[in-house]
Amino acid sequence: MAADLSSATLVEKGSLTYGVAASFAPFEFQKDGKPVGFDIDMIEALSKKLGVEAKPMNMDFQGLIPALQAARIDIINSAMYINPKRAEQVDFVPYLKIGNQVLVQAANPAGITGRDASLCGKTVAVTLGAIEEIYARQDDKRCKDAGAAGVTVLTLPTGQDSYLSLRQGRADAAFDSTPGAVELLQNSPGVYAVVGPEFESNTQIGMATRKGDKAMADALTAALKEIVADGSYKALIAKWKLPASVALFD
């Protein structure tokens, strides 16, 4: 199967218009007013294989699926974690698997030890609509079911807002992807720390297409196979310093 978009319906002819919430480093974030990151480089590589220009449309994360369903964008390319609820709304082309970490202030004043009972009665910052919100709400239920104080889930528009709320002490912890946590610790030495083991480490992330849009899904899948075969996929993982364990393909 060759990478071919000729049978797909595009928002703009000659362009692959993709929705992105550019606030989730190192996958997509803003630099000099433009989105950069692993996903941005990947969609550029895929678009070359497909013979179109990659055209980003930056928006809040919770607006991505509605924009796709309304045909304002062709696909979602925003490190979207695949879960059953989302899979009811959109189709996915998986391209990485990824784990998560619990972030705290470097001094860890709340004494949190990981994704465990130490979160009960604490405030956890997460991106609104992201899978980390689901995890935090699961922890809230788990604490309450055990007769302990629940978790206060502080939902915020972006990962940067979560980091800031943690830094300012408005949250006791934040949940982030393992690559995101690594990047944060590198860029803000002495400010944050990771506690406890990685969790949900086999969650897949994927590009999302409209339900039943087989032409688009097939074209992305074929292009993805091509960048795996020519080495571009592994090169991008290395460039963005992602752990080798994220690779879904050899």
Side-chain angles (χ1 to χ4, degrees), residues 200-216:
E200 303 288 351
S201 56
N202 283 315
T203 304
Q204 292 187 358
I205 61 177
M207 293 171 282
T209 62
R210 271 184 293 282
K211 266 290 174 191
D213 189 354
K214 189 172 183 299
M216 180 63 72

Side-chain angles (χ1 to χ4, degrees), residues 52-173:
V52 291
E53 179 185 355
K55 185 176 178 182
M57 188 177 290
N58 193 17
M59 62 187 74
D60 285 344
F61 190 85
Q62 66 266 30
L64 290 169
I65 289 178
L68 180 62
Q69 292 173 327
R72 291 174 50 222
I73 54 178
D74 297 314
I75 66 167
I76 297 168
N77 173 50
S78 196
M80 184 167 275
Y81 288 59
I82 300 172
N83 63 39
K85 183 179 178 182
R86 288 179 184 153
E88 291 175 359
Q89 301 173 285
V90 297
D91 292 333
F92 283 103
V93 177
Y95 60 92
L96 291 176
K97 62 181 187 292
I98 196 167
N100 295 268
Q101 299 276 9
V102 179
L103 284 164
V104 296
Q105 289 182 11
N108 195 11
I112 292 168
T113 53
R115 194 183 178 214
D116 53 32
S118 67
L119 291 175
C120 299
K122 306 300 194 304
T123 298
V124 176
V126 294
T127 301
L128 178 65
I131 201 165
E132 288 83 7
E133 180 183 353
I134 295 172
Y135 297 153
R137 297 201 184 282
Q138 289 173 349
D139 294 337
D140 175 47
K141 183 179 186 301
R142 193 158 35 241
C143 288
K144 289 175 179 174
D145 287 350
V151 173
T152 299
V153 182
L154 178 61
T155 56
L156 296 157
T158 70
Q160 281 79 3
D161 293 322
S162 294
Y163 306 151
L164 183 60
S165 70
L166 177 58
R167 185 171 191 161
Q168 293 176 339
R170 292 184 289 120
D172 302 301

Side-chain angles (χ1 to χ4, degrees), residues 218-246:
D218 285 351
L220 290 175
T221 299
L224 185 57
K225 286 180 179 177
E226 289 187 20
I227 68 166
V228 170
D230 71 14
S232 304
Y233 173 79
K234 287 284 183 70
L236 288 178
I237 288 173
K239 173 185 174 180
W240 290 101
K241 298 181 173 61
L242 305 183
S245 60
V246 304

Side-chain angles (χ1 to χ4, degrees), residues 165-206:
S165 70
L166 177 58
R167 185 171 191 161
Q168 293 176 339
R170 292 184 289 120
D172 302 301
F175 290 172
D176 197 6
S177 73
T178 297
V182 169
E183 170 130 333
L184 181 66
L185 266 57
Q186 288 174 341
N187 292 340
S188 307
V191 177
Y192 303 98
V194 164
V195 291
E198 184 181 64
F199 62 92
E200 303 288 351
S201 56
N202 283 315
T203 304
Q204 292 187 358
I205 61 177

